Amino acid sequence: MAMKGAHSKSSGKPKYDPKKRKFQNKKSSADDNLSPANKKRALKHERQSHRKHASSVQPAKELWNQLRVKTNDKETNIKLCAELHELLKGKCLEVAMQHDASRCVQGVLQYGNEQMRLEVVKELCGGDARKDDDTKNQNVNLAELCKIQYAHFVVLKMIKYGSRDEECIKLIVKSLKKQMTKLAIHSVGARVVELLFGTFPPKSVAPLKLELYGPQYALFASVNSTGKDNSPTLPSLTEFVEDNPDKREPTLAHLQALLQKGLDKSLTGFGYFHSLLLDYASIASPEDIRSFLTPALAEHSLHLLSTRAGTKVVCECAAYGTVKDRKKMLKCLKGYTRSSLKHRDAYLAVLRMCDVMDDTVLVNKMLLGELHQNPDNEKNEDDEENKPSPILDLVLSDTGSKLFLLLLVAKEEMSSSDDDKATPRWHKLLDPYEVSALHQNPTVTENGEEVPTSKKESGTRRREILVYLKELLVDVCAKHTEELMRSKSGSKVLIEVCENFASEELFQAIVDVCADDSEDEKALPLFEDPVGHLTMKHLFLSESKKSSDDDDLSLARMFYAKFEEELGSIATSNRGAFVLSSLLQTCVKDEAKKALKSHKKEITKLAKGGKDVKKLAGCKVLLDALK
């Protein structure tokens, strides 16, 4: 027993205390006197000291902290950046992959001169400086850096600050060749692809885009442009498929697999992905769009509306989708109708949904119900009469007004033209791109027959939705007549509302605006306003096309009754003369000619002009109308 006790006492092993969870007789060290935060910091520095290039990274981080100070002058930044570049020369690849040191390489790319930036790009793209024995780093290329969480920020800086240097562009594009298919569906690499396609010139990245279409494009993608004049013209996807019909199916299969992987990783927020979806839709049949594209994108419609390509895809999905898919798309847009109508591109999706949805009650409830609520609820809450119309901002908007024009003008209505090929009048209210996105009567093939995707006639759908918005449209035209008459977008809506829902109250509001001077001193009288006089002219021309009886409501009669004695003064102004020339084509032409007969001499003088009199084109047109 004595031997055992003596052995345990002299063994010198520390005794463990389970309550304190440590050994009682542990030897003290200098770290015991440090606070927990300092211990953690010391441990961190010790670990970093064992990393590769630690002797260079530590001073590089100190230089970067000085370099990022916003109060530095240009000379200070150049000096600090030169020191930083010298420290990292030949080590940029390994440093770029370190989470706390990659910002140092970014600093050289951001603050360095063209020579420093080019050397870093060459090192990361070419690999000339990789002379160490580390085989792992030797196999790392620029495409691999794009997939690393911290290293991809270095690539983003390369693209951003190297976009003006042709040599940098060539190096980066060359290093990323044959890697785009993997990067485009990588959660981190997708950010690099997005910035690459959005920053570099389209001709430079065209070979990289072609890689996304499949291996059959390898011949075109492998062409390396040598200069601006010698750059080859690469075909678009549609052109390639038209020239090679046998390549259509493999291209569709490749794109479908690629897009499915991207959808699984939620890449619908990237612009290049929207372009890929549009490329697929441009060569796919309506049946392919209905079976693959629409079900996959129905619940992601809102994410696609940020770009023009994505909006066009949503329009195609709405055109060829099933009733169930259209309802899903409608739910995605619920609550975003107003913001979408004022967006540069997204308004087309709202127009398309109203144009193809058979369930107009659901459209009115989920999509257009938002338009009945005033966006500024706090303003004039108690004063209902002075409260602005909830759709005033949309009617005055160039994009928002297109919804009301689409509903007010029948698609089947032809424009009055002498040409054999008369075009629908609604084509004149939209640009060619909008007309292509809102193409008529989409059909799919079922059992060998062409079947329309919408059962109702377009005119029936239009009238049902228009009934729901009639009160709003008449109200905004009556309350804000002057604003609409002086606005290009608003005047178009006002003219169509007068044609569809003519009323004495609305016509009286128009005549009163012509009679009253604007409250704004800088504003021109309505007959001299660049837009206002055209509004009156088109209102009279629109009325002149209708056959009217003496008992019919007429804006021209109300206007003539108000301005019978003032027609002479209106005729002596250039724009006013244009308005009266259109008035002479209405039902009051005989009365107006008699009223202007006494002013014919003065109108003739202004029409011909002279030394002291300026020649007015409007008076010449009016004089011809009087003759």
Side-chain angles (χ1 to χ4, degrees):
M1 293 293 294
M3 291 288 293
K4 185 177 180 181
H7 178 72
S8 62
K9 190 175 182 179
S10 61
S11 61
K13 291 184 179 180
K15 187 177 180 182
Y16 182 74
D17 189 348
K19 292 183 179 181
K20 296 183 178 180
R21 295 184 179 180
K22 64 179 182 179
F23 293 95
Q24 288 183 347
N25 55 347
K26 183 181 178 182
K27 293 183 179 180
S28 61
S29 61
D31 293 344
D32 292 341
N33 299 325
L34 297 177
S35 63
N38 289 334
K39 287 181 181 180
K40 188 175 180 180
R41 192 176 294 108
L43 181 61
K44 178 182 177 181
H45 287 306
E46 183 182 359
R47 288 176 178 173
Q48 289 179 347
S49 64
H50 296 298
R51 291 181 184 172
K52 195 170 185 179
H53 307 303
S55 58
S56 300
V57 168
Q58 188 59 34
K61 288 163 66 176
E62 294 175 2
L63 285 172
W64 178 80
N65 279 320
Q66 299 176 34
L67 187 63
R68 66 173 179 160
V69 177
K70 295 182 180 180
T71 56
N72 290 345
D73 54 12
K74 189 175 181 180
E75 294 180 358
T76 304
N77 281 342
I78 291 175
K79 183 180 177 182
L80 291 172
C81 198
E83 295 179 19
L84 182 60
H85 178 241
E86 193 64 31
L87 278 171
L88 299 178
K89 190 176 291 185
K91 309 162 189 171
C92 291
L93 179 68
E94 291 82 5
V95 174
M97 291 187 287
Q98 297 181 15
H99 75 279
D100 60 335
S102 66
R103 64 190 70 178
C104 299
V105 184
Q106 297 174 44
V108 178
L109 292 168
Q110 182 174 352
Y111 298 103
N113 55 31
E114 293 182 4
Q115 184 61 32
M116 296 178 189
R117 193 177 296 120
L118 182 59
E119 289 183 14
V120 174
V121 171
K122 283 183 177 179
E123 183 177 342
L124 295 177
C125 294
D128 296 336
R130 308 174 196 174
K131 298 179 181 179
D132 50 32
D133 296 328
D134 192 346
T135 56
K136 181 180 178 180
N137 288 335
Q138 284 179 349
N139 293 329
V140 175
N141 52 24
L142 188 64
E144 293 298 322
L145 292 180
C146 296
K147 301 176 185 178
I148 301 174
Q149 177 66 31
Y150 299 101
H152 92 281
F153 289 112
V154 176
V155 185
L156 294 179
K157 283 288 194 296
M158 287 171 57
I159 296 171
K160 181 179 179 180
Y161 294 101
S163 59
R164 295 183 180 180
D165 190 340
E166 290 186 9
E167 192 171 353
C168 287
I169 293 174
K170 290 179 182 179
L171 286 169
I172 295 172
V173 170
K174 185 178 180 181
S175 300
L176 294 179
K177 279 186 176 180
K178 300 181 181 180
Q179 303 290 335
M180 297 307 296
T181 306
K182 296 179 180 178
L183 289 178
I185 56 174
H186 193 275
S187 56
V188 177
R191 303 175 192 173
V192 177
V193 178
E194 176 77 357
L195 187 65
L196 183 74
F197 288 163
T199 306
F200 281 5
K203 187 175 288 188
S204 301
V205 296
L208 300 182
K209 284 186 177 180
L210 290 177
E211 292 182 15
L212 299 174
Y213 301 148
Q216 58 269 26
Y217 283 82
L219 176 63
F220 301 100
S222 62
V223 177
N224 186 19
S225 57
T226 57
K228 292 183 179 180
D229 297 332
N230 298 327
S231 298
T233 303
L234 298 175
S236 65
L237 182 61
T238 308
E239 293 172 347
F240 179 83
V241 172
E242 288 177 355
D243 296 338
N244 305 275
D246 57 318
K247 301 293 184 183
R248 180 179 174 275
E249 292 303 325
T251 303
L252 282 173
H254 176 84
L255 276 176
Q256 187 169 332
L258 190 70
L259 293 173
Q260 186 60 57
K261 292 179 182 178
L263 290 170
D264 293 340
K265 295 188 178 181
S266 302
L267 301 181
T268 51
F270 293 101
Y272 79 90
F273 197 76
H274 299 176
S275 299
L276 272 181
L277 289 169
L278 183 59
D279 289 334
Y280 177 87
S282 64
I283 64 172
S285 64
E287 292 73 29
D288 293 330
I289 296 175
R290 189 170 202 173
S291 61
F292 167 68
L293 210 56
T294 307
L297 297 177
E299 297 180 353
H300 302 281
S301 301
L302 191 63
H303 299 152
L304 299 175
L305 300 184
S306 58
T307 63
R308 194 173 219 197
T311 304
K312 184 70 178 291
V313 172
V314 173
C315 291
E316 292 300 302
C317 291
Y320 298 111
T322 61
V323 176
K324 186 177 180 181
D325 292 330
R326 287 174 178 173
K327 287 183 179 179
K328 289 181 180 179
M329 297 173 70
L330 205 61
K331 288 181 181 179
C332 287
L333 297 176
K334 185 180 180 180
Y336 296 94
T337 306
R338 186 179 298 274
S339 57
S340 298
L341 285 173
K342 297 174 73 173
H343 190 268
R344 182 193 62 184
D345 304 309
Y347 71 99
L348 279 174
V350 179
L351 268 63
R352 196 52 170 163
M353 293 301 297
C354 293
D355 193 38
V356 298
M357 281 286 292
D358 287 333
D359 192 349
T360 54
V361 175
L362 190 63
V363 171
N364 294 334
K365 181 180 178 181
M366 300 189 67
L367 198 63
L368 303 180
E370 184 184 345
L371 303 186
H372 289 263
Q373 302 172 1
N374 201 309
D376 191 4
N377 293 322
E378 297 180 359
K379 187 177 180 180
N380 297 329
E381 225 173 46
D382 301 328
D383 193 355
E384 290 293 335
E385 293 183 0
N386 297 327
K387 182 182 291 187
S389 172
I391 61 169
L392 176 62
D393 57 334
L394 298 176
V395 173
L396 297 176
S397 167
D398 183 43
T399 56
S401 61
K402 299 289 176 68
L403 171 65
F404 308 114
L405 294 175
L406 186 72
L407 297 174
L408 289 166
V409 181
K411 279 192 172 185
E412 299 79 9
E413 186 177 350
M414 295 296 176
S415 60
S416 57
S417 174
D418 296 333
D419 301 334
D420 294 333
K421 296 181 179 179
T423 56
R425 191 159 65 91
W426 69 280
H427 279 200
K428 293 187 175 182
L429 302 173
L430 307 175
D431 60 47
Y433 182 82
E434 293 169 337
V435 173
S436 67
L438 303 174
H439 56 85
Q440 288 181 271
N441 305 323
T443 59
V444 293
T445 304
E446 291 183 0
N447 300 324
E449 297 181 358
E450 293 289 330
V451 181
T453 58
S454 300
K455 295 181 180 180
K456 282 185 181 179
E457 294 184 358
S458 60
T460 305
R461 286 194 304 270
R462 181 183 69 85
R463 287 189 292 271
E464 289 178 357
I465 297 176
L466 196 55
V467 169
Y468 186 74
L469 295 176
K470 176 183 176 180
E471 185 179 348
L472 280 176
L473 288 169
V474 174
D475 179 68
V476 71
C477 291
K479 278 187 177 180
H480 309 280
T481 312
E482 184 174 357
E483 289 180 74
L484 268 59
M485 293 184 74
R486 294 178 183 269
S487 165
K488 287 184 179 180
S489 303
S491 62
K492 294 178 183 178
V493 176
L494 177 65
I495 293 169
E496 298 302 331
V497 170
C498 288
E499 188 170 345
N500 286 271
F501 311 118
S503 65
E504 185 176 354
E505 180 186 0
L506 182 56
F507 285 170
Q508 189 60 49
I510 294 173
V511 173
D512 291 342
V513 168
C514 295
D516 296 341
D517 294 331
S518 175
E519 296 180 358
D520 188 359
E521 296 179 357
K522 296 182 179 179
L524 294 170
L526 188 74
F527 294 120
E528 288 298 319
D529 187 79
V531 179
H533 86 283
L534 289 175
T535 306
M536 290 303 302
K537 177 182 174 181
H538 289 301
L539 283 170
F540 290 144
L541 291 176
S542 176
E543 186 173 305
S544 67
K545 297 173 185 177
K546 300 178 181 178
S547 58
S548 59
D549 299 328
D550 294 338
D551 297 333
D552 290 342
L553 183 65
S554 171
L555 175 63
R557 287 197 189 97
M558 296 176 68
F559 180 87
Y560 178 76
K562 182 77 173 179
F563 293 96
E564 181 179 0
E565 298 179 358
E566 300 177 23
L567 292 182
S569 61
I570 297 174
T572 55
S573 67
N574 186 45
R575 289 169 175 164
F578 278 113
V579 174
L580 295 184
S581 65
S582 61
L583 180 68
L584 294 178
Q585 301 181 39
T586 63
C587 59
V588 296
K589 59 182 177 180
D590 296 331
E591 296 91 331
K593 283 182 180 181
K594 289 180 182 179
L596 291 171
K597 189 175 182 180
S598 59
H599 302 278
K600 190 172 182 180
K601 186 176 180 180
E602 188 178 358
I603 295 171
T604 305
K605 185 178 179 181
L606 292 171
K608 293 181 179 180
K611 292 182 179 180
D612 301 330
V613 181
K614 184 179 179 181
K615 184 178 179 179
L616 299 180
C619 291
K620 187 177 185 306
V621 174
L622 179 59
L623 184 63
D624 295 338
L626 287 171
K627 291 179 181 178

